């Protein structure tokens, strides 16, 4: 079994591509370096399910101040300070800059399988075999829900 990831040069959102990157809204997009992540690296488990990141940013911080008896148990300033690549503190004018900022390449071709159930107080419950799921296809992130079109989630059991 071998992977079939698209070449970075064919993905316009990657800095490794010479293709222009235009967003769905028609704006010039900000390219970022791309990395290949597989399903093990890309899925982040949490209590409510999983997170599938499409962009990864990494920030490092150092302790800014430590409340102690010597300073009256106060922390004047930020308790944590973002650092530059060399480990020195960033100045806090504007947003902090990540040490790593990249796109997960070809993530738009991943297959996402959704298996779900619910149970509420009073005993009502169902699983995905008993429900039809939908997602909203919206023309932009700022679109009103009324501008979005519901699309049925393909239900494939037994795979």
């Amino acid at each position: 079994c071998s992977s079939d990831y698209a070449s970075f040069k064919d993905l316009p959102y990657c800095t490794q591509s010479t293709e222009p990157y235009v967003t769905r809204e028609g704006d010039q997009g900000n390219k970022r370096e791309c990395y290949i992540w597989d399903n093990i690296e890309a899925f982040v488990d949490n209590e409510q399910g999983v997170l599938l990141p499409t962009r990864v940013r990494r920030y490092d911080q150092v302790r800014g101040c430590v409340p102690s008896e010597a300073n009256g148990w106060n922390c004047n300033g930020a308790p944590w300070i973002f650092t530059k690549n060399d480990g020195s503190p960033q100045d806090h004018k504007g947003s902090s800059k990540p040490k790593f900022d990249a796109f997960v390449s070809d993530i738009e071709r991943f297959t996402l399988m959704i298996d779900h159930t619910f149970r509420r107080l009073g005993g009502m419950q169902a699983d995905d075999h008993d429900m039809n799921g939908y997602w909203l296809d919206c023309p932009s992130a700022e679109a009103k829900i009324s501008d979005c079109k519901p699309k049925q989630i393909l239900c494939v059991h037994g795979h």
Side-chain angles (χ1 to χ4, degrees):
C1 180
S2 61
S3 62
D4 184 27
Y5 291 103
S7 170
F8 294 164
K9 69 180 177 62
D10 296 329
L11 300 172
Y13 52 84
C14 297
T15 56
Q16 297 93 330
S17 171
T18 58
E19 299 291 322
Y21 176 34
V22 180
T23 66
R24 289 184 351 172
E25 291 80 22
D27 300 325
Q28 178 67 38
N30 292 323
K31 291 183 174 219
R32 289 184 172 71
E33 192 170 0
C34 284
Y35 288 84
I36 292 177
W37 281 21
D38 63 8
N39 65 318
I40 304 298
E41 291 173 300
F43 282 88
V44 179
D45 285 316
N46 66 46
E47 286 183 23
Q48 286 78 35
V50 296
L51 173 68
L52 181 61
T54 58
R55 178 180 176 191
V56 179
R57 288 180 281 188
R58 178 181 160 203
Y59 297 87
D60 283 350
Q61 297 176 304
V62 293
R63 177 67 75 178
C65 66
V66 178
S68 67
E69 189 172 356
N71 62 21
W73 301 106
N74 286 314
C75 188
N76 294 326
W80 294 96
I81 297 172
F82 290 98
T83 61
K84 299 178 187 175
N85 284 337
D86 65 4
S88 65
Q90 293 184 24
D91 66 14
H92 284 280
K93 296 175 184 159
S95 298
S96 298
K97 298 194 179 4
K99 294 179 93 171
F100 179 83
D101 188 0
F103 284 133
V104 177
S105 71
D106 220 16
I107 197 81
E108 62 273 19
R109 292 191 335 150
F110 275 42
T111 299
L112 184 61
M113 295 182 4
I114 300 170
D115 186 14
H116 62 287
T117 62
F118 79 87
R119 180 183 330 189
R120 70 170 219 195
L121 292 176
M124 182 179 178
Q125 65 184 29
D127 72 9
D128 58 333
H129 291 265
D130 303 320
M131 299 178 283
N132 291 321
Y134 293 87
W135 61 279
L136 291 177
D137 186 12
C138 301
S140 72
E142 294 79 27
K144 297 177 193 167
I145 290 182
S146 60
D147 295 332
C148 302
K149 293 184 175 35
K151 305 279 185 165
Q152 188 168 6
I153 296 174
L154 177 64
C155 186
V156 181
H157 291 252
H159 292 281

